[in-house]
Amino acid sequence: MPVETLTYESPQFLQKLIGHDLSGLRIIADTLHVQITSRDGWVRIEAEEPAIAAVKEVFGQLERIRRQGGEVTPTMLRLVTESVMTEHDSAPADAIMNLRLQGSSRKPPVLVKTRGQIAYVQAMREHEVVFGIGPAGTGKTYLAMAQGLHLLREKVVQRLVLTRPAVEAGEALGFLPGDLKEKIFPYLRPLYDALYDMLDPDEAERMIERGAIEIAPLAYMRGRTLKNAFIILDEAQNTTTEQMLMFLTRLGEGARCVITGDPSQVDLRRHVRSGLREAVEVLQDVPGVKFVSFLSKDIVRLPVVQRIIEAYDQYRAKS
């Protein structure tokens, strides 16, 4: 059996190539059906010549991502490995790095990690209205936020508007204490969390204070025309049909919007139809509108989250 060894300048660099986790080597070995061993700064590959060439191509693509400043994750590593295995003429590293989103000079760029995410970012670059639909943990809201900050940084738009319906997730929160801002904050907290993950807190606060970033409940959108803005409607499965139409008709000159949602997690009252579900039926063939569907394999949270969602999908399909 042919054997080849790849050697790198340090064990630390090799660790970064495989996502800081030895399970990365298992992903490559299992996907390409080879035997891989590693110690210090080298990797030993035992397989037939075509398989060795594929493994070398995977490590070459990962090295290109790393040397261009990208952070390799296990999910991204799986994407690169599967791309090399199924698309011998493709360059996954180029696809990943060409779609990187730089929201802040102080933070690393946001990179796509799955095929679904690649299609999603490409859609946001090419269409005025994009629907990102799929299970939790696939990066729908996070990537939309990154794209909005990227366009704001490049001065393609003048402001970023983030909104979501104020619907309780199966829990009656009652009369929350505090002023209006404090009452609605719990509903908008996930948007703030994503924002502060991409920007330094002081930078985010400055942009909010001067109006470059606005975070508000969906009800606040009524009657407005949003020009030269990138608008994100999060948790769109919890909009009513009237709210969805109201939101989609807010777009003014130079505006773009992204609507994200998971149809399996509707928190509306019984017999109230989801605006997201209606939009999927009505807008499929409308020019300028693009739907991107995420699968469970696009989940970038802990692997157990993917398994949980798949188990629920199977159970509900049987029921």
Side-chain angles (χ1 to χ4, degrees), residues 75-287:
T75 314
M76 185 189 296
L77 190 149
R78 187 181 297 279
L79 168 65
V80 170
T81 305
E82 291 177 350
S83 297
V84 168
M85 182 179 70
T86 59
E87 305 167 12
H88 297 292
D89 296 328
S90 72
D94 291 342
I96 290 169
M97 298 310 294
N98 288 341
L99 293 174
R100 61 184 161 186
L101 301 170
Q102 188 74 54
S104 169
S105 58
R106 301 180 186 179
K107 298 274 190 172
V110 175
L111 303 181
V112 292
K113 299 178 178 69
T114 69
R115 292 183 187 279
Q117 290 189 353
I118 288 176
Y120 187 48
V121 174
Q122 287 175 333
M124 288 191 288
R125 291 189 175 186
E126 298 169 1
H127 297 82
E128 291 97 336
V129 178
V130 175
F131 285 80
I133 301 173
T138 49
K140 302 183 298 294
T141 304
Y142 195 83
L143 285 174
M145 184 86 73
Q147 173 72 1
L149 289 172
H150 179 80
L151 295 179
L152 197 60
R153 177 183 171 85
E154 297 296 319
K155 295 182 170 54
V156 176
V157 296
Q158 296 176 359
R159 58 181 168 151
L160 174 60
V161 180
L162 314 170
T163 186
R164 55 167 24 196
V167 176
E168 297 156 350
E171 301 175 23
L173 299 183
F175 294 97
L176 295 171
D179 58 21
L180 181 61
K181 182 178 179 181
E182 291 171 328
K183 288 178 186 293
I184 64 177
F185 180 78
Y187 297 104
L188 305 176
R189 180 60 186 264
L191 296 175
Y192 281 97
D193 288 345
L195 183 64
Y196 289 136
D197 193 51
M198 295 179 201
L199 300 175
D200 288 336
D202 57 341
E203 184 180 9
E205 290 298 332
R206 285 197 303 271
M207 295 178 77
I208 291 173
E209 286 175 5
R210 72 169 189 261
I213 297 175
E214 176 186 348
I215 305 177
L218 180 59
Y220 284 31
M221 298 297 110
R222 188 173 297 279
R224 300 178 62 183
T225 300
L226 301 171
K227 298 181 180 179
N228 300 312
F230 188 88
I231 310 120
I232 301 171
L233 171 57
D234 191 33
E235 297 289 335
Q237 76 274 5
N238 289 328
T239 61
T240 64
T241 54
E242 294 81 6
Q243 286 175 326
M244 178 62 77
L245 180 58
M246 178 274 290
F247 172 78
L248 291 172
T249 53
R250 299 308 94 202
L251 304 182
E253 182 180 353
R256 297 181 173 203
C257 80
V258 177
I259 299 100
T260 71
D262 179 1
S264 71
Q265 296 192 18
V266 176
D267 298 315
L268 295 169
R269 295 188 306 275
R270 192 181 298 274
H271 307 308
V272 177
R273 193 177 186 206
S274 168
L276 178 62
R277 288 176 176 166
E278 182 181 60
V280 170
E281 297 173 6
V282 174
L283 303 177
Q284 285 288 346
D285 300 321
V286 174

